[in-house]
């Protein structure tokens, strides 16, 4: 009942015979271009087939392309929701304009000439140069992404340049205007004390309004008078603030905030 194995010498002789037969077959093919008598023909090599184009089908809907593009921006660059919404809006407006032309054109099929015509359309529609440049920037980023992802083969916006814009000088408030703004809230009420704390903190730290309203208790270090802020691009920075802002913030957290919450729990400062 035991399984009998082939002797080692027998296995070696079979292997050697197989090797000799293979060498003989190859020699016959090389000399006469034919198989030796009594051997089966070796399979012929099929010619290599040309690979299909790696470009993805261009029948994607504009909404699908825009969604994929904004998802990529969020994953790769960590852009804020407002910035992603601006990209989405600018691309949808361009896609709608392409569809209104004769003949209608899909977003992925736009040409350099059509983008130039769209820019001219924006200027003739009383849009500012900064608006046209922002939309061109969105198109450039979109088509560069589309080329990388093989949705299109060429970037139609590659050679286009932004229009020149006049230098904008920011408008500044005078010291008297700032003092008047800070003193506007009535600090005898919970809402007034909250507003004063927000104004003092924003004035002392230079926070954006979106960063101020999203501030949480964990981001405040009262003793060091430092805020830990996560801004654009999901980048974190430490922002100091002064004694006056610290005083109003402590008063608000101790009295006005509990009164406004009415027993509810939240990590939001304001």
């Amino acid at each position: 009942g035991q399984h009998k194995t082939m002797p080692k010498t027998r296995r070696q002789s079979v292997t050697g015979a197989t090797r000799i037969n293979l060498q003989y077959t190859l020699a016959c093919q090389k000399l006469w271009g034919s198989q030796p008598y009594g051997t089966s023909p070796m399979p012929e090599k099929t010619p290599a087939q040309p690979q299909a184009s790696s470009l993805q089908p261009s029948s994607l809907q504009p909404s699908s392309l825009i969604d994929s593009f904004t998802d990529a921006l969020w994953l790769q660059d960590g852009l804020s929701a407002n910035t992603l919404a601006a990209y989405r809006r600018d691309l949808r407006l361009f896609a709608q304009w392409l569809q209104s032309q004769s003949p209608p054109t899909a977003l992925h099929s736009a040409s350099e000439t059509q983008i130039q015509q769209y820019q001219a359309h924006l200027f003739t529609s009383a849009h500012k140069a900064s608006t046209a440049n922002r939309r061109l920037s969105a198109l450039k980023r979109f088509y560069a992404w589309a080329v990388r992802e093989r949705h299109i083969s060429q970037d139609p916006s590659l050679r286009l340049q932004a229009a020149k814009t006049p230098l904008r000088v920011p408008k500044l408030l005078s010291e008297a205007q700032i003092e008047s703004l800070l003193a506007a809230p009535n600090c005898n009420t919970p809402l007034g004390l909250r507003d004063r704390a927000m104004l003092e903190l924003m004035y002392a730290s230079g926070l954006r309004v979106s960063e101020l309203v999203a501030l949480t208790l964990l981001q405040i270090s009262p003793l060091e008078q430092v805020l830990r802020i996560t801004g654009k691009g999901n980048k974190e920075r430490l922002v100091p603030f002064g004694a006056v802002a610290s005083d109003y913030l402590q008063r608000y957290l101790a009295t006005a905030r509990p009164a406004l919450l009415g027993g509810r729990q939240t990590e939001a400062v304001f």
Side-chain angles (χ1 to χ4, degrees):
Q2 294 182 353
H3 178 71
K4 295 183 179 180
T5 59
M6 183 183 296
K8 184 176 180 180
T9 55
R10 176 61 176 164
R11 292 200 305 270
Q12 290 176 341
S13 62
V14 171
T15 304
T18 304
R19 187 183 300 111
I20 293 173
N21 288 335
L22 180 59
Q23 291 174 348
Y24 174 63
T25 301
L26 293 176
C28 291
Q29 283 186 322
K30 186 175 181 180
L31 291 174
W32 301 292
S34 62
Q35 295 292 120
Y37 179 76
T39 60
S40 57
M42 296 181 66
E44 296 182 357
K45 293 185 177 180
T46 56
Q49 298 295 328
Q51 293 185 353
S53 172
S54 57
L55 293 179
Q56 297 183 9
S58 60
S59 59
L60 295 174
Q61 296 296 323
S63 58
S64 300
L65 284 174
I66 295 172
D67 289 342
S68 299
F69 169 64
T70 52
D71 288 346
L73 290 182
W74 179 73
L75 289 172
Q76 297 171 7
D77 301 333
L79 299 183
S80 66
N82 291 337
T83 303
L84 294 176
Y87 273 106
R88 190 185 300 272
R89 181 173 59 252
D90 290 341
L91 291 172
R92 283 177 176 173
L93 289 173
F94 180 56
Q96 292 171 2
W97 180 85
L98 289 173
Q99 287 298 310
S100 68
Q101 301 305 295
S102 181
T105 305
L107 180 62
H108 63 273
S109 301
S111 64
E112 178 180 316
T113 302
Q114 288 174 315
I115 298 178
Q116 290 176 324
Q117 292 173 347
Y118 180 64
Q119 290 294 98
H121 162 73
L122 293 178
F123 281 111
T124 57
S125 302
H127 286 83
K128 295 181 179 180
S130 58
T131 301
N133 288 343
R134 190 197 73 234
R135 293 187 181 178
L136 177 60
S137 176
L139 294 178
K140 278 181 165 292
R141 194 161 189 177
F142 169 75
Y143 285 114
W145 166 84
V147 169
R148 290 196 306 271
E149 295 298 319
R150 299 185 180 276
H151 295 304
I152 59 176
S153 58
Q154 293 182 344
D155 184 350
S157 66
L158 188 62
R159 298 190 300 175
L160 300 181
Q161 296 181 353
K164 293 183 179 181
T165 56
L167 180 63
R168 293 190 302 173
V169 179
K171 296 180 180 180
L172 303 178
L173 296 177
S174 65
E175 186 177 350
Q177 289 174 321
I178 294 176
E179 292 294 340
S180 177
L181 177 63
L182 294 175
N186 181 8
C187 294
N188 294 322
T189 65
L191 283 176
L193 185 55
R194 181 204 64 182
D195 293 346
R196 181 64 182 267
M198 294 178 74
L199 289 172
E200 290 284 356
L201 190 59
M202 186 164 57
Y203 176 57
S205 61
L207 293 181
R208 301 180 180 92
V209 174
S210 59
E211 294 171 343
L212 178 70
V213 298
L215 195 64
T216 64
L217 295 174
L218 294 177
Q219 294 177 272
I220 301 176
S221 180
L223 296 179
E224 290 81 7
Q225 295 181 359
V226 170
L227 304 174
R228 190 176 72 255
I229 303 299
T230 303
K232 290 185 176 181
N234 206 28
K235 296 179 180 178
E236 188 176 278
R237 68 185 191 277
L238 297 179
V239 181
F241 57 93
V244 176
S246 177
D247 177 62
Y248 277 101
L249 181 60
Q250 293 296 333
R251 287 172 56 188
Y252 162 72
L253 293 176
T255 59
R257 184 173 181 273
L260 293 173
L261 286 176
R264 292 171 297 172
Q265 299 294 324
T266 179
E267 289 296 322
V269 176
F270 301 109

